[in-house]
Every structure is written in structure tokens, then in C-alpha cells.
């Protein structure tokens, strides 16, 4: 089959785009607003963009409400210039999902999901204490992305990693072993996957 995304005439029950671009890592982003209130929300348009310096990027698609307000996480990042990205283990899947709702800005998703906060060292943002790893980030730039209309507003926030927390329990022989915490990945629709097994490939000389 073939379809043009702009036409949205794929003939399927649901848009297949996200199901095809999968699996995607989940960036569980913690931030504070200008008043110091904590926020926590997951993003699946997320990935690493470089390593010297290490850069992480997350994309915001759509708006928060019918008035066209920007999503809380993006507003917080622009107001404070910092954010933390927590990794989501399979054991934290339900808590992550509990933080994905469209809540009022004053609601603390850490408390809503029953999550303990831990302090960051380089930035004034809480992180998820139970997360197997967390990245402290300083905002580098917010880039406006193409959008088909105001309701499809899209922005890309890129941050430089200035601190990394790793749970020693996920390290084996000096390497991070993802099978020890089974990271969750976002698929299409309402589907997720947990990484249970890995294999290696050696690049050709």
C-alpha cells in the first residue's frame, strides 16, 4: 500500500505512522515551573542527538487545550532553562502512564503517581528516585517545527546533558545492562514493549 500523509487517506483504522517508527525510547521528563512547582510527563518523540557534548531532544506535538496553550513541560523548560530526563523501566510502566494525562499545571505528577523525588546536583529539578538512570539537562535551543495548523503546533527542545545518575544495580562488568531494568519502548496505538534480550553485531572493518 501507499499513502500521502498530508491526505490522511491511508485506508486503515488508525494512523500507522507511529506504529512503523518503532520502538521509540521514552523520555520521562521532570521540570519545574517559574513558581517552583514540579511536573513530570512522558514523551516518545525523544532521543539522543549527540555525544560530545551529549545532547537529548524531545519534540512537543499539539497543544494542551482548546485555547492553544503550550504543554506544561515546554513552558517550564523555557521558563527555567533546565529539565531532567528519567528512564522508564518496565516496573515503572504504570506510574509513567499515570503521569501522561492532561492535568492542570498546578498538579504534581510525582505525588499523583506515588513517586518519590530525588534531587539533581547541577540543576534545580527533581528526578524520579526509582528510575534506573536520569540525565540532568540545560536547554540549548527550542526549534519550531513545521505544523499543518495551530492545533498541530510542534517544537523541538534540545538540551545538553550536564549530569548523569545511574543506579549501580544496572551495571555489570563496567557496562550498563538493560536487561537488568528492562526499559520500556513506545510502539504504535496503545502498545509498548520491554527489552528483555539483546544481541551484538560487529561492524565490518
Amino acid at each position: 500500500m501507499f499513502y500521502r500523509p498530508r491526505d490522511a487517506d491511508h485506508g486503515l483504522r488508525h494512523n500507522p505512522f507511529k506504529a512503523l517508527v518503532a520502538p521509540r525510547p521514552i523520555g520521562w521528563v521532570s521540570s519545574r515551573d517559574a513558581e517552583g512547582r514540579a511536573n513530570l510527563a512522558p514523551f516518545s518523540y525523544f532521543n539522543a542527538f549527540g555525544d560530545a557534548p551529549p545532547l537529548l531532544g524531545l519534540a512537543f506535538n499539539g497543544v494542551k487545550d482548546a485555547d492553544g496553550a503550550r504543554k506544561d513541560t515546554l513552558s517550564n523548560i523555557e521558563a527555567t532553562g533546565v529539565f531532567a530526563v528519567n528512564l522508564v523501566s518496565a516496573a515503572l510502566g504504570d506510574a509513567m502512564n499515570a503521569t501522561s494525562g492532561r492535568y492542570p499545571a498546578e498538579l504534581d505528577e510525582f505525588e499523583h503517581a506515588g513517586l518519590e523525588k530525588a534531587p539533581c546536583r547541577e540543576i534545580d529539578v527533581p528526578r524520579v528516585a526509582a528510575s534506573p538512570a536520569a540525565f540532568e539537562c540545560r536547554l540549548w535551543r527550542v526549534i519550531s517545527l513545521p505544523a499543518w495548523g495551530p492545533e498541530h503546533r510542534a517544537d523541538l527542545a534540545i538540551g545538553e546533558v550536564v549530569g548523569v545518575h545511574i543506579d549501580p544495580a544496572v551495571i555489570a562488568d563496567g557496562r550498563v545492562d538493560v536487561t537488568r531494568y528492562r526499559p520500556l519502548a513506545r510502539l504504535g496505538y496503545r502498545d509498548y514493549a520491554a527489552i528483555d534480550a539483546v544481541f551484538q553485531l560487529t561492524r565490518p572493518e
Side-chain angles (χ1 to χ4, degrees), residues 47-60:
N47 220 311
F49 281 56
D51 60 7
L55 301 172
L56 294 178
L58 55 143
F60 300 84

Side-chain angles (χ1 to χ4, degrees), residues 31-34 37 39 72-82:
S31 61
R32 287 192 194 275
D33 65 13
R37 296 175 297 192
N39 178 275
D72 294 336
T73 300
L74 179 57
S75 295
N76 293 351
I77 290 173
E78 289 196 310
T80 65
V82 294

Side-chain angles (χ1 to χ4, degrees), residues 8-21:
D9 186 21
H10 43 68
L12 301 174
R13 290 175 56 195
H14 303 283
N15 189 334
F17 177 72
K18 294 179 184 178
L20 294 170
V21 185

Side-chain angles (χ1 to χ4, degrees), residues 201-205:
L201 293 174
T202 301
R203 290 183 180 182
E205 295 296 333

Side-chain angles (χ1 to χ4, degrees), residues 104-117:
E106 61 270 17
L107 183 137
D108 185 328
E109 287 85 356
F110 282 90
E111 295 180 2
H112 177 72
L115 292 164
E116 180 184 352
K117 296 172 183 171

